[in-house]
Amino acid sequence: MQARTRFVLAVIVLFLLMTGPFLLTALIIWVETQDEGRQQLIQVIAPHLTLGTMLTALGFAAGVGVVRALFRQYVQGLLRMSEHLRLMLGANRGFRVQPDGPPEVQALAVAANELATQRDELLTDVEAQITRAKESVELEKNRLAALMSELTQSVVVCNLDGRILLYNNRARTQFRALSDAPAVAGGGELIGLGRSIYGVFERNLIAHALDTIQQRLRRGVAQPQANFVTTTKAGQLLRVQMAPVLSVIAPPRSDAAADAVAVVEPTQGSAAAEAADSEPAVAPERTLTGFILMLDNITRNFETESRRDQMLHSLTEGNRASLANVRAAAEMLDYADLPDEMRQRFRGVIRDEVEAMGSRLNQTANEFADSLKARWPLEEMLGADLISAVQRRIESRISLRTKLEEVDESLWMKVDSFSLMQAITYLASRLSDEFEVREIRFRLSGAGRLLHLDLIWQGQAMSTETVMSWELEPMQIEGESSPLTVRDVIDRHDGEMWLEREKVRHRAFFRIVLPAATPQEAAVVDNYLRGESRPEYYDFDLFAWSDRSHGLEDRLLSELTYTVFDTETTGLNPSQGDEIIQIGATRILNGKLLRSESFEQLIDPQRPLGAESAKIHGITSDMLRGQPTVDKVLPAFHAFAADTVLIAHNAAFDMRFLQLKEAQTRLKFDQPVIDTLLLSAVIHPNQESHRLEAIAERMGLTIIGRHTALGDAIVTAEVFLKLVPLLAERGIRTLREAREAAEKTYYARIKY
């Protein structure tokens, strides 16, 4: 029974206790008095009835006031204290109850705070021991994360339901490039923790590969694998190698205390695990729990190989016919009595066929050079290291002196070192042969995101025509030739080259402009929003997670996958034409906030901003100009939120904006929705405020990026994770129970 209901019942009982004896006495006197006595009684009481009623009412009011004051001080005060105690014991250990109210309640608050302090000291000691015990596990996880992030091959690990539980940065970058989704922040992501791999590959294709692996497992193959080639929706060709993730269950040991131990390990096995038990070996049972996908984009390789095959076919078939014609014409020329007219015709045939063969050979050579350029690998290296290698090559091959001049040793470049070194050596060779240059100087400097590599010499002036001819001729150095030109090498590096002169110092130099190497995924990520520099790209707890385990409504809140989102708008009246100007979202999976899995995009509302709303979120019209419209952004957000439960604070407001766009976008956000405002009212019904800031303060959360869509979404996600254990204490553990409890709160009546 609610406290307010009990208060109303207490007031009714007080009224009955105050008026009951008086009414009962009056009834007894009335019954025992005869007619004349009754008349006399009425005459005596009537003049004083008004005063008596007033005094009774005043007394009743005073009694109600006293009861109400006692109720607020003791009952409501204790209820608030109980909520604070639950908060202090669960979501916010640093929270302390403020001593307030009568002395007895204050004394209880002081005692509770003292107990909480003692509890915190014990918990701190326990946590320190747990931290020490987990250090080795965390070290292994960090090593794995570092290894995965450095792999040049795309790797994705899934459970048997096809849910992604690990991927590396290479895979994220590759799938982002393969996506045909609109180019909005977060909208191009095809993969993410907890998302289905079947959004990328056909389910039947994966099922067939898994069936192949299981057959090989049954045959006892040591390293069962499956390979296939497939195309993505964007038309890219992928070569996929699938390997199983096996759960190896060791047989029971002779020691009665030893239980069967299940260890997830790669297919190669673990030598350490085999050496751990000296008892006679019993073949362990291997169960398939997931699969690893290693992917290579072979689109360019396939196209290159196809062109190469076509070149070879064209060269052989075309030249075979030409050679046959030349042979036939040559045989005819052996006849001494051949008329001159026929002899000239056959000579023309030989000349034409030889020219055609030469043309085909030249075309094939050019195409081969293009094919060679497509195979160049670009690797990051220090610019100073490249110059050092070029110096050694020039001095050993051309006998030119080399010197360094203003080389910035901190600059990195992404180059094919061999071809670029070959091009610079070729230029130095031409300078030595044609202009008798005897010394070359090198200068390397940065210019924003570009590098300037200068090849400097002193001597005779050079014309622009000479420079162009050097750029376009195939490179030849000391008897070594290449089908490539300097221009080919520069173009492959997305660079430029030109000639400059220093008239004062009587010098000239070739300036080669190259892009500087930049770290992957440069700092477009807000650290305070996206978390640590190493993203959370793995979660091995998902090996035991299955979509088919039970229905969505009856699943535990801690098991579900959530998209926590927020919107910023032009105003507060969606039904009167206000529009979304920003959507931000993050993901909760397996009870963890994944800051790296996020969505954030500004939207052009195509209408003026409200002055009051601009003061709140700080978004201006200039910031929105040129941004995509809502019909471009919502499909990307819809894909990001697919197969998840939506969470928002005051969700009715945000969902109303999305519902009003259903007709325009033909998209419906029909998944379950959880509102943290309503859940807060369930947990803390006696608190006066359920604003996001107030809830975060109660739970000891720091708000960063408030009134930005992504910032609010992250705070809402942190609040929800704090609410889950508090809901469990009240017996609210499943999605159905949470939604039913939320619908009973007062705030659930709010409509937009």
Side-chain angles (χ1 to χ4, degrees):
M1 186 182 297
Q2 295 293 332
R4 294 184 183 278
T5 304
R6 294 198 300 270
F7 172 70
V8 173
L9 291 177
V11 171
I12 295 173
V13 171
L14 177 64
F15 175 78
L16 293 176
L17 290 175
M18 292 180 63
T19 59
F22 173 76
L23 293 175
L24 182 61
T25 302
L27 180 62
I28 293 172
I29 294 173
W30 182 266
V31 170
E32 293 180 353
T33 305
Q34 300 301 323
D35 294 340
E36 293 182 1
R38 290 180 181 178
Q39 292 297 327
Q40 293 176 0
L41 186 60
I42 292 172
Q43 291 176 0
V44 172
I45 295 176
H48 307 287
L49 186 60
T50 302
L51 179 61
T53 303
M54 291 177 60
L55 291 174
T56 302
L58 289 173
F60 178 73
V64 170
V66 171
V67 172
R68 186 170 183 273
L70 293 174
F71 176 82
R72 295 186 65 180
Q73 289 185 353
Y74 286 92
V75 179
Q76 285 191 325
L78 291 174
L79 287 173
R80 281 194 297 271
M81 184 182 297
S82 68
E83 292 175 355
H84 290 161
L85 288 173
R86 288 194 181 94
L87 192 64
M88 183 168 58
L89 294 173
N92 185 5
R93 280 173 47 186
F95 187 84
R96 290 294 180 267
V97 179
Q98 294 296 327
D100 191 14
E104 297 82 0
V105 176
Q106 293 185 25
L108 181 60
V110 171
N113 289 339
E114 291 175 353
L115 290 174
T117 300
Q118 296 177 12
R119 189 278 313 262
D120 288 350
E121 292 174 354
L122 293 173
L123 286 178
T124 300
D125 181 61
V126 171
E127 288 172 354
Q129 296 182 39
I130 294 175
T131 300
R132 287 192 294 270
K134 291 173 61 178
E135 283 179 353
S136 60
V137 176
E138 290 299 322
L139 180 60
E140 293 301 322
K141 283 187 175 182
N142 289 335
R143 286 175 177 170
L144 173 64
L147 175 64
M148 293 293 294
S149 65
E150 295 301 324
L151 287 177
T152 58
Q153 191 175 30
S154 300
V155 179
V156 180
V157 181
C158 304
N159 64 13
L160 288 180
D161 285 333
R163 295 290 174 181
I164 298 171
L165 52 92
L166 178 150
Y167 63 97
N168 64 350
N169 195 56
R170 176 72 175 178
R172 185 186 196 190
T173 304
Q174 184 177 74
F175 280 105
R176 181 180 296 162
L178 297 177
S179 173
D180 57 358
V184 299
E189 302 290 353
L190 291 176
I191 62 172
L193 292 183
R195 300 180 72 172
S196 176
I197 195 65
Y198 301 126
V200 182
F201 299 115
E202 290 290 336
R203 184 181 294 270
N204 293 335
L205 193 64
I206 298 292
H208 176 72
L210 282 174
D211 184 59
T212 301
I213 288 177
Q214 288 176 328
Q215 290 180 11
R216 292 174 179 174
L217 281 172
R218 286 192 288 269
R219 292 200 303 267
V221 177
Q223 298 182 13
Q225 294 180 346
N227 300 278
F228 58 88
V229 176
T230 184
T231 56
T232 67
K233 295 178 181 178
Q236 300 291 309
L237 199 63
L238 292 183
R239 180 174 58 213
V240 183
Q241 179 182 2
M242 177 187 287
V245 176
L246 301 176
S247 175
V248 181
I249 304 178
R253 306 187 181 193
S254 58
D255 185 357
D259 297 324
V261 180
V263 182
V264 176
E265 64 179 16
T267 56
Q268 286 83 353
S270 173
E274 293 173 2
D277 194 350
S278 59
E279 295 182 4
V282 179
E285 180 183 353
R286 298 195 299 174
T287 304
L288 186 65
T289 60
F291 54 90
I292 304 171
L293 300 177
M294 290 160 283
L295 309 105
D296 289 302
N297 188 342
I298 60 172
T299 306
R300 178 174 294 179
N301 294 341
F302 180 78
E303 293 173 350
T304 302
E305 293 295 334
S306 298
R307 285 198 302 270
R308 195 174 301 143
D309 293 343
Q310 187 176 2
M311 283 189 293
L312 181 62
H313 176 77
S314 175
L315 185 64
T316 55
E317 295 301 320
N319 286 349
R320 180 181 291 117
S322 296
L323 285 172
N325 292 335
V326 169
R327 181 183 301 153
E331 289 175 354
M332 294 301 297
L333 291 175
D334 290 338
Y335 290 99
D337 57 347
L338 188 69
D340 290 341
E341 182 181 352
M342 294 293 293
R343 190 178 301 278
Q344 292 298 328
R345 183 181 300 175
F346 284 125
R347 286 174 177 170
V349 169
I350 293 174
R351 183 175 59 253
D352 293 342
E353 292 296 344
V354 169
E355 289 179 356
M357 291 173 63
S359 176
R360 277 192 291 271
L361 285 171
N362 289 335
Q363 181 180 357
T364 302
N366 292 332
E367 291 180 359
F368 174 74
D370 292 338
S371 174
L372 183 64
K373 287 187 290 184
R375 297 201 306 271
W376 287 345
L378 297 182
E379 300 293 340
E380 292 184 1
M381 69 179 301
L382 274 171
D385 290 345
L386 176 69
I387 292 176
S388 177
V390 172
Q391 283 184 279
R392 291 192 298 270
R393 184 179 178 90
I394 290 176
E395 291 175 354
S396 63
R397 292 207 169 197
I398 310 174
S399 299
L400 268 178
R401 295 190 303 273
T402 62
K403 289 186 178 181
L404 299 181
E405 183 176 306
E406 301 179 17
V407 173
D408 188 340
E409 297 186 355
S410 66
L411 296 178
W412 286 76
M413 53 179 63
K414 193 165 187 178
V415 295
D416 169 28
S417 57
F418 176 77
S419 64
L420 187 57
M421 184 168 58
Q422 191 177 38
I424 297 173
T425 306
Y426 167 74
L427 293 174
S429 173
R430 297 295 294 264
L431 288 170
S432 175
D433 294 342
E434 300 182 24
F435 291 88
E436 298 182 353
V437 173
R438 293 294 173 257
E439 182 180 271
I440 295 291
R441 293 174 178 259
F442 290 97
R443 181 169 58 205
L444 179 65
S445 59
R449 301 188 67 175
L450 299 175
L451 299 179
H452 290 170
L453 174 57
D454 297 338
L455 186 66
I456 308 169
W457 72 92
Q458 196 163 15
Q460 184 179 348
M462 181 188 305
S463 67
T464 305
E465 290 76 10
T466 302
V467 176
M468 291 184 63
S469 67
W470 289 8
E471 283 190 58
L472 299 178
E473 292 176 4
M475 295 184 292
Q476 292 185 356
I477 311 168
E478 298 293 321
E480 185 180 294
S481 61
S482 170
L484 305 175
T485 67
V486 173
R487 175 49 52 190
D488 290 336
V489 175
I490 299 300
D491 288 345
R492 178 66 180 95
H493 290 83
D494 294 326
E496 291 291 340
M497 189 188 87
W498 60 79
L499 174 67
E500 289 195 21
R501 297 179 178 87
E502 295 179 352
K503 295 182 180 179
V504 177
R505 304 175 68 177
H506 302 289
R507 301 194 310 178
F509 60 89
F510 288 123
R511 168 154 291 178
I512 301 175
V513 180
L514 301 169
T518 55
Q520 290 185 352
E521 307 264 316
V524 295
V525 180
D526 297 326
N527 287 333
Y528 75 88
L529 291 179
R530 304 288 179 92
E532 302 297 331
S533 58
R534 178 174 58 81
E536 300 156 319
Y537 287 165
Y538 62 91
D539 190 343
F540 296 120
D541 294 335
L542 295 178
F543 269 119
W545 189 67
S546 172
D547 252 355
R548 296 188 291 270
S549 58
H550 39 74
L552 189 65
E553 287 284 339
D554 295 325
R555 287 179 57 178
L556 297 176
L557 292 173
S558 57
E559 291 181 344
L560 294 167
T561 304
Y562 302 95
T563 296
V564 191
F565 77 103
D566 183 68
T567 62
E568 300 296 337
T569 62
T570 58
L572 303 178
N573 299 301
S575 301
Q576 298 178 17
D578 280 318
E579 297 284 349
I580 302 173
I581 60 174
Q582 189 181 39
I583 296 179
T586 188
R587 199 180 300 280
I588 293 176
L589 175 66
N590 209 27
K592 302 170 186 175
L593 172 58
L594 306 180
R595 295 173 183 266
S596 60
E597 307 279 341
S598 62
F599 181 102
E600 185 177 28
Q601 181 61 50
L602 291 171
I603 301 172
D604 185 353
Q606 298 183 318
R607 60 159 290 171
L609 284 179
E612 294 301 321
S613 64
K615 292 179 181 178
I616 296 174
H617 47 60
I619 299 174
T620 64
S621 298
D622 291 339
M623 297 169 62
L624 300 177
R625 193 173 296 113
Q627 297 293 338
T629 54
V630 72
D631 60 316
K632 298 293 192 303
V633 177
L634 279 190
F637 176 62
H638 188 270
F640 180 83
D643 301 325
T644 64
V645 176
L646 293 177
I647 297 179
H649 191 77
N650 192 12
F653 177 79
D654 300 289
M655 291 303 299
R656 182 58 177 159
F657 278 95
L658 299 182
Q659 291 163 1
L660 289 174
K661 295 300 177 184
E662 289 179 0
Q664 178 182 353
T665 61
R666 297 182 180 179
L667 296 172
K668 191 171 184 179
F669 292 83
D670 53 2
Q671 56 262 66
V673 181
I674 289 179
D675 191 338
T676 51
L677 185 150
L678 304 185
L679 293 183
S680 176
V682 171
I683 296 297
H684 301 141
N686 295 288
Q687 300 300 318
E688 296 179 356
S689 175
H690 296 285
R691 294 184 304 110
L692 189 59
E693 295 92 336
I695 301 173
E697 183 180 356
R698 285 199 293 268
M699 295 187 172
L701 299 173
T702 302
I703 298 181
I704 301 177
R706 182 70 171 110
H707 292 306
T708 64
L710 183 57
D712 284 356
I714 288 178
V715 175
T716 302
E718 292 176 334
V719 165
F720 175 75
L721 292 175
K722 292 282 190 178
L723 288 173
V724 169
L726 299 179
L727 290 167
E729 291 179 4
R730 292 175 170 263
I732 302 171
R733 294 180 173 84
T734 66
L735 177 61
R736 185 194 307 277
E737 292 167 346
R739 296 179 67 187
E740 289 176 352
E743 290 171 0
K744 295 177 183 178
T745 63
Y746 171 80
Y747 297 95
R749 305 173 187 176
I750 299 175
K751 304 295 180 184
Y752 291 91

